[in-house]
Amino acid sequence: MSNILPDEIPVFPLSGVLLLPRGVLPLNIFEPRYLAMVDHALKTHRLIGMIQPKDDGGIHDVGCAGRITAFEETGDGRYLITLTGVSRFRVAEETAQREGFRNVKTDLRGFALDTEPAGCLDINRSGLTTLLEEYFDLQGLSCSWERVKDAPDERLITCLSMVCPFSPQEKQALLEAVDRKSTRLNSSH
């Protein structure tokens, strides 16, 4: 597992944004320091760590590294990128800033399963769909229920975790869950 991520990666502290392993996150990059971060990642390992900032200006201890899998330059100086989640990491230490963006040394202990697809999580789909329909209705959200029905368990849980309007603290708790089954909905609930 030691060669999945380099020892040091740039991080993008963004409140309320969650990236999970194998999740897909589109980003609109426009601040000069983050444009420089993307340039750096493209020249090196194409990895950026998404991490929740703390109110005091610090960052949380756990983030998720994503590989830049799509890149587009706009005519007005922005980058439209897509990150695909690779693995969660623990911040071993924050290192010197480079061109205004933050960097951390990564520790992957405890995240060995992040690189392995989960397969079937034995989700009670009927119960989950009922809860989702109620939740989406209350939140005024729309959904393609046919896509929900056809989605593999892991993809469904990952997408829901990333797109539902949870608080930053709730998203951090999802990121730090021990494994995928810790967040599952099964028939006993």
Side-chain angles (χ1 to χ4, degrees):
M1 178 129 181
S2 60
N3 61 356
I4 291 172
L5 297 182
D7 292 336
E8 186 176 323
I9 61 171
V11 291
F12 189 5
L14 196 54
S15 184
V17 175
L18 176 63
L19 177 63
L20 293 170
R22 283 169 301 291
V24 177
L25 179 65
L27 292 168
N28 178 12
I29 309 294
F30 53 88
E31 284 187 52
R33 64 183 163 166
Y34 297 123
L35 292 168
M37 176 189 67
V38 171
D39 287 339
H40 169 77
L42 287 171
K43 289 179 202 169
T44 57
H45 40 63
R46 295 176 35 154
L47 293 168
I48 294 172
M50 294 302 298
I51 198 158
Q52 293 287 322
K54 291 183 177 178
D55 292 337
D56 64 4
I59 54 176
H60 280 272
D61 295 333
V62 177
C64 184
R67 182 171 311 283
I68 298 172
T69 53
F71 172 85
E72 180 183 343
E73 238 176 310
T74 66
D76 59 0
R78 295 176 295 124
Y79 292 160
L80 303 176
I81 66 170
T82 300
L83 293 180
T84 300
V86 174
S87 176
R88 293 173 294 166
F89 62 87
R90 199 166 308 285
V91 175
E93 73 177 274
E94 191 164 350
T95 59
Q97 288 192 10
R98 198 180 277 134
E99 297 181 60
F101 61 88
R102 298 165 89 162
N103 297 278
V104 299
K105 290 195 176 190
T106 60
D107 177 356
L108 298 177
R109 285 178 290 181
F111 303 119
L113 295 177
D114 284 4
T115 59
E116 299 173 19
C120 180
L121 297 174
D122 298 323
I123 294 173
N124 173 351
R125 286 296 184 111
S126 174
L128 178 61
T129 301
T130 299
L131 289 173
L132 284 174
E133 287 172 348
E134 291 173 13
Y135 178 78
F136 276 49
D137 188 49
L138 286 169
Q139 296 293 321
L141 301 171
S142 62
C143 181
S144 168
W145 296 109
E146 195 61 35
R147 290 185 107 181
V148 167
K149 181 181 138 203
D150 294 339
D153 290 355
E154 180 187 30
R155 185 164 212 47
L156 178 62
I157 295 301
T158 297
C159 288
L160 288 171
S161 297
M162 289 176 59
V163 302
C164 283
F166 300 133
S167 72
Q169 296 81 9
E170 291 167 324
K171 289 202 176 202
Q172 187 66 31
L174 288 169
L175 180 66
E176 293 182 20
V178 175
D179 60 28
R180 295 166 199 102
K181 291 186 178 187
S182 297
T183 59
R184 75 177 180 169
L185 178 69
N186 61 38
S187 57
S188 64
H189 291 104

